[in-house]
Amino acid sequence: MSALQVNDSRAGTRPSSILRAFDPFAALRAIRESMTLRSTLRLVAFTLVSHAGTSGESWPSYATLGRETGLDRRTAISAVAALESAGILEKIARRTEHGDRASNLYRLRIG
């Protein structure tokens, strides 16, 4: 596979009756077989998949991504931005009930 196939089922363009459930094994396979993602992006994508539930959503902090991948926080931030630009995930900023920043929510669009 030369490019990742993006799952558009969460984009709101399809009726809810045909939405596919997130398949972590398909997501991992797509990442592993991708010839377009450099190793740092693959590592961060694998980590996000490992945190995702059946909805394909996860919310690890940048510090957690850095710690679990062995990358520094800044590299994790850059990798998430690149994955978002590639259409592999959607990043949604979150706030606490008091308005403070919380970890982002990531919706994986593969798998």
Side-chain angles (χ1 to χ4, degrees):
M1 180 183 304
S2 62
L4 286 174
Q5 293 180 329
V6 175
N7 176 2
D8 275 340
S9 65
R10 290 173 192 80
T13 59
R14 297 182 182 191
S16 61
S17 61
I18 60 172
L19 290 180
R20 293 186 316 146
F22 177 72
D23 181 352
F25 297 108
L28 292 171
R29 185 172 42 258
I31 295 163
R32 185 182 63 244
E33 294 175 355
S34 172
M35 303 315 264
T36 60
L37 290 179
R38 64 183 197 271
S39 59
T40 301
L41 300 183
R42 286 182 189 189
L43 185 57
V44 172
F46 280 141
T47 304
L48 289 170
V49 170
S50 75
H51 282 272
T54 58
S55 67
E57 296 179 340
S58 62
W59 48 91
S61 67
Y62 288 127
T64 297
L65 287 174
R67 184 179 65 253
E68 292 183 1
T69 60
L71 302 171
D72 62 50
R73 184 178 182 276
R74 183 68 218 149
T75 303
I77 292 169
S78 296
V80 166
L83 291 168
E84 185 175 31
S85 293
I88 294 167
L89 61 83
E90 175 186 6
K91 180 181 83 171
I92 300 162
R94 300 186 315 152
R95 299 269 177 189
T96 66
E97 61 188 39
H98 301 292
D100 298 325
R101 294 176 78 176
S103 63
N104 294 316
L105 171 71
Y106 304 102
R107 286 193 183 131
L108 297 166
R109 299 187 63 208
I110 54 174

